[in-house]
Amino acid sequence: MPNLLAVNYLGMPISSPVIVGACPLTIQPETARQFVDAGAGAIVMPSMMQEQIVYRRMLSTDPLGAIEKSGYQPQQDNYNGGAENYLHSISSLRKTCRVPIIASLNGFSSGDWLEYASEIESAGADALELNLQSAVYDPNTPSDEIEANLCGIVAAVAERVSIPIAAKINQRFTNLGSMARQVQQAGALGIVLFTHLPHWDVCTDRVHWTIRWELSPLDSLGGILEGVVRVNSGTQGMSIAASGGIGTCEDALKAMIAGADVVMVTSAIYRDGPDAIRRIVDGIHRYLELNHHATLLDFQRSRPKADVGPEQMMRLEYVDPLTRSNTYFDPTPTAFSVEGDVYGHMKK
């Protein structure tokens, strides 16, 4: 019996469009197996950090200065298992999971540390996701230099491996379509929209800014959809993965209608476990049946081609909803509070 949800990602046939995004949960073989049993079509491992790999390479030549010069911190190994164990984890996941295993590298500059990509391929990874971080500290650095640096990382890895590469970028590029074409020309077969960003805040007691990691908010899909549409309209033959804010079947369908080939689910799994995957997969099945699509590929072929031009039309898409009404939708949930005593009796 054919698999109705089979799709193609990075040139690989996968059994489901729902992929578990990069996170520490995916490095545990039993947990990963549960995700696959729930309907995941592929698994993305947590990112191996540039700092960890540089530290590993420096240990033999400069053991005393390795930590200071690399930026490595021991807790990074708790996140992804460490540079040595990471390779063993790839092999373990290949034995326990019947879906593609996608490794992940997180970095911001080219260099010898990218040789680690070859070790990832040798360990058995089916593909590699490059989480490209535009670490910009100098306000005088022009945007084209930033983009060229990130594309240089993609090109350097593409020269070292034969497995497919996906570039994971953030939303801060002025022209997403242009950036997507650049990473494609550098050797990436796919693009992931978008990398998860930390939450910035200011501590009023310490009078200092702080950074913390949070799960994706429930109502955060809009920016992802915009990015998918813009990249889809500006590239050809490039796999697109929507990542961030995908928590329901409706979210997944919206992302695929916008142009995504697959969706990555992470925060929803932290909230609901493997059931989050199961609900999305079951919902897609029901949608295909109700709308008389023979397969998911049939549905994807029937969706309209994204077109964000001409300029006047895009301007109208922005201005018209802004000026049409004086009332605006408020996505903030309304809290329902009931007063009661210590025994739970409601006050009248």
Side-chain angles (χ1 to χ4, degrees):
M1 182 178 178
N3 182 1
L4 302 183
L5 299 189
V7 292
N8 184 289
Y9 179 58
L10 301 177
M12 303 182 297
I14 62 176
S15 59
S16 163
V18 181
I19 295 177
V20 181
C23 66
L25 297 177
T26 59
I27 206 167
Q28 305 166 19
E30 173 56 25
T31 304
R33 184 194 63 78
Q34 294 179 32
F35 294 153
V36 174
D37 288 346
I43 299 291
V44 184
M45 298 177 65
S47 290
M48 177 57 54
M49 308 296 174
Q50 175 176 339
E51 291 81 359
Q52 291 173 280
I53 302 170
V54 172
Y55 170 75
R56 175 183 181 239
R57 296 178 65 87
M58 293 182 64
L59 270 179
S60 59
T61 58
D62 187 8
L64 296 179
I67 289 183
E68 179 182 355
K69 295 177 182 178
S70 66
Y72 165 80
Q73 295 293 321
Q75 70 268 17
Q76 295 166 3
D77 292 351
N78 296 329
Y79 173 77
N80 53 30
E84 294 296 338
N85 289 333
Y86 193 81
L87 302 174
H88 297 303
S89 295
I90 295 174
S91 302
S92 298
L93 289 172
R94 283 296 303 271
K95 295 176 182 177
T96 57
C97 295
R98 58 185 184 275
V99 301
I101 303 301
I102 304 173
S104 176
L105 284 179
N106 182 310
F108 58 90
S109 65
S110 296
D112 293 343
W113 73 278
L114 293 175
E115 294 289 347
Y116 190 78
S118 301
E119 298 184 61
I120 284 176
E121 180 176 24
S122 298
D126 296 284
L128 178 58
E129 182 176 284
L130 295 178
N131 193 328
L132 302 174
Q133 296 297 311
S134 50
V136 182
Y137 308 105
D138 184 357
N140 296 314
T141 304
S143 58
D144 56 350
E145 183 177 323
I146 296 169
E147 295 178 4
N149 174 61
L150 298 181
C151 290
I153 297 175
V154 177
V157 173
E159 292 176 354
R160 289 170 165 85
V161 301
S162 59
I163 55 176
I165 298 170
K168 191 173 187 179
I169 65 173
N170 62 44
Q171 296 171 271
R172 294 172 176 166
F173 295 97
T174 303
N175 190 335
L176 285 170
S178 171
M179 187 60 190
R181 282 199 302 271
Q182 290 181 66
V183 295
Q184 185 179 29
Q185 292 166 359
L189 293 185
I191 191 164
V192 183
L193 309 170
F194 293 99
T195 183
H196 193 63
L197 295 176
H199 179 85
W200 285 59
D201 201 353
V202 172
C203 177
T204 55
D205 293 330
R206 294 171 52 202
V207 195
H208 193 269
W209 51 267
T210 61
I211 298 177
R212 68 173 183 269
W213 286 93
E214 297 180 343
L215 299 181
S216 297
L218 295 177
D219 186 29
S220 59
L221 188 62
I224 310 299
L225 296 178
E226 179 191 358
V228 170
V229 169
R230 291 187 180 279
V231 169
N232 188 32
S233 67
T235 60
Q236 290 185 347
M238 192 177 201
S239 292
I240 300 176
S243 177
I246 308 291
T248 66
C249 167
E250 184 177 10
D251 295 336
L253 289 168
K254 286 180 178 180
M256 287 190 285
I257 291 172
D261 300 291
V262 297
V263 296
M264 292 189 175
V265 180
T266 308
S267 293
I269 294 174
Y270 273 94
R271 294 185 177 105
D272 300 321
D275 284 342
I277 301 171
R278 191 171 289 109
R279 285 195 294 268
I280 295 175
V281 170
D282 290 345
I284 295 174
H285 265 293
R286 289 193 300 271
Y287 179 86
L288 295 178
E289 293 174 359
L290 290 172
N291 291 274
H292 308 291
H293 293 290
T295 64
L296 182 60
L297 281 175
D298 178 58
F299 157 70
Q300 291 186 345
R301 293 188 190 104
S302 68
R303 61 193 175 189
K305 174 63 178 177
D307 185 7
V308 297
E311 180 181 357
Q312 185 176 5
M313 180 59 68
M314 283 305 297
R315 179 65 178 167
L316 181 63
E317 292 282 347
Y318 166 80
V319 173
D320 185 63
L322 176 66
T323 58
R324 183 180 294 274
S325 173
N326 290 327
T327 59
Y328 304 103
F329 171 71
D330 183 1
T332 306
T334 303
F336 178 75
S337 60
V338 177
E339 293 184 358
D341 59 24
V342 294
Y343 303 102
H345 302 138
M346 289 189 298
K347 292 182 179 180
K348 296 183 180 179

